[in-house]
Amino acid sequence: MPVPIIIDCDPGHDDALAIMLAAGDPAVDLLAVTTVAGNQTLDKTTLNARRVCTVAGITDVPVAAGCDRPLVQPLGVAADVHGATGLDGPMFPAPTVDAVPEHAVDLIHRLLAEHPEPVTLVPTAPLTNIALLLRRYPEDASRIREIVLMGGSTERGNRTPAAEFNILTDPEAADIVFRSGVPVTMCGLNVTHQALATPEVVARFVALGTPLGRICADLLTFFGSTYRELYGFSSPPLHDPVAVARVIDPGLVHCVDAHVDVELHGRYTRGATVVDLHRSTGRPANARVAVTLETSLFWDRLVAAVAVLGERAHGPASS
Ligand code: BDR
Ligand code: CA
């Protein structure tokens, strides 16, 4: 049986691919796409989620907008990485998929209550919506099978030397999630930097011969240009689909158990995930921490999902 999941995201180039992987892979059942402020403002991330669902033919999955700012601090977006729209690069048609008139947190709460089995949450963005859900509806914790998130790192950060963007954008929310008692799997930069979208990977999306494959290639090309400029990467790391891949097949993303704390007060380290890989604190593990990606199987799965969606939306590619 496919694993029921909800993606909570801030599209975002890599979020866009994460949505497509979740919608196109038969191992998961995508119940909803919820949005939050992060890579761009909430109006832009929600518009982008609608754009992605429209071009990928994802018309039967509700899209709902959530929180427009972090719990405590002001919002800082990542226009330098994702552009002024949050999804710069491809030309998108006007979206025909609308957002539902329900707050993301209420939609997630309702879907958790309605679904016959516990649901896996896959946040690929700041954890504001998820923390608010756990605070507003504490009874929902037992209806969440697992939270498999993209965020944090066992080593370096990307927005500061110590902190990764999703955690840094709302550290208080991340702290609530890691201390919630709900099983958490953290897919941080240490593993997502193994998912480099090389020119060969981009060529595979082009070779699908569908408009959707072309859009994916254009997304990766824009993402590659900002990663080259800002970070000196020769190919961009496709963070968010790694979390979806872990749910699709745990064998694609290997994890270790560890205690993770979120630094809230450090003068230089606010937003860092402090991962006790060597059990030096003696504190019990509160997370599974992803460490290794089966890279080529990961790309096979992502390309296959985009192929399925592309053919569903536009018919088989002409040869
Ligand atoms: C994370 O930050 C965002 O810019 C990406 O979409 C990803 O979720 C990587 O640090
Ligand atoms: Ca994201």
Side-chain angles (χ1 to χ4, degrees):
M1 282 294 284
V3 179
I5 72 168
I6 296 171
I7 292 198
D8 186 64
C9 60
D10 61 344
H13 296 70
D14 49 338
D15 302 81
L17 273 293
I19 293 170
M20 292 183 215
L21 178 58
D25 195 288
V28 289
D29 177 15
L30 181 60
L31 303 182
V33 174
T34 55
T35 58
V36 68
N39 285 324
Q40 262 299 350
T41 54
L42 180 69
D43 55 341
K44 291 184 183 178
T45 60
T46 306
L47 174 62
N48 290 341
R50 296 170 51 218
R51 283 178 165 145
V52 170
C53 288
T54 300
V55 294
I58 306 165
T59 54
D60 53 350
V61 175
V63 175
C67 297
D68 67 358
R69 73 198 86 153
L71 294 183
V72 176
Q73 66 189 19
L75 176 66
V77 300
D80 52 346
V81 179
H82 298 276
T85 66
L87 212 47
D88 276 15
M91 291 293 293
F92 286 99
T96 52
V97 171
D98 282 329
V100 297
E102 192 174 11
H103 192 282
V105 170
D106 293 321
L107 175 67
I108 298 172
H109 169 67
R110 187 167 59 73
L111 291 173
L112 290 175
E114 286 173 5
H115 209 271
E117 55 182 293
V119 172
T120 296
L121 303 185
V122 185
T124 61
L127 289 157
T128 321
N129 287 342
I130 309 303
L132 195 62
L133 175 85
L134 292 168
R135 279 293 156 95
R136 186 159 177 195
Y137 303 111
E139 70 276 17
D140 282 1
S142 63
R143 301 189 182 123
I144 302 169
R145 175 163 141 175
E146 195 184 355
I147 297 172
V148 182
L149 63 92
M150 191 282 133
S153 180
T154 61
E155 32 192 61
R156 61 177 163 172
N158 58 3
R159 292 312 268 187
T160 71
E164 179 278 332
F165 176 80
N166 289 341
I167 306 297
L168 181 70
T169 300
D170 197 341
E172 282 74 19
D175 181 53
I176 289 171
V177 169
F178 276 99
R179 294 198 293 114
S180 66
V182 176
V184 171
T185 297
M186 174 182 123
C187 300
L189 298 177
N190 55 292
V191 72
T192 66
H193 284 184
Q194 297 167 39
L196 297 175
T198 60
E200 292 72 32
V201 167
V202 177
R204 290 180 70 180
F205 286 104
V206 174
L208 292 176
T210 61
L212 188 61
R214 184 75 248 174
I215 285 172
C216 291
D218 290 348
L219 284 168
L220 293 173
T221 301
F222 180 88
F223 204 38
S225 68
T226 60
Y227 257 85
R228 198 172 311 116
E229 220 170 278
L230 290 173
Y231 299 110
F233 277 48
S234 53
S235 301
L238 205 59
H239 312 280
D240 294 338
V242 173
V244 178
R246 167 71 191 184
V247 184
I248 283 173
D249 177 357
L252 291 173
V253 185
H254 304 286
C255 294
V256 296
D257 290 346
H259 188 88
V260 178
D261 280 312
V262 178
E263 175 59 79
L264 298 180
H265 304 293
R267 182 168 168 198
Y268 303 111
T269 53
R270 179 166 155 82
T273 44
V274 180
V275 183
D276 185 9
L277 286 175
H278 305 298
R279 300 171 194 235
S280 46
T281 64
R283 300 174 70 191
N286 63 347
R288 290 190 190 118
V289 176
V291 288
T292 312
L293 178 69
E294 296 290 344
T295 307
S296 82
L297 295 176
F298 166 78
W299 290 118
D300 289 350
R301 207 85 189 211
L302 186 55
V303 172
V306 172
V308 165
L309 293 173
E311 290 190 11
R312 217 184 272 159
H314 305 285
S318 48
S319 52

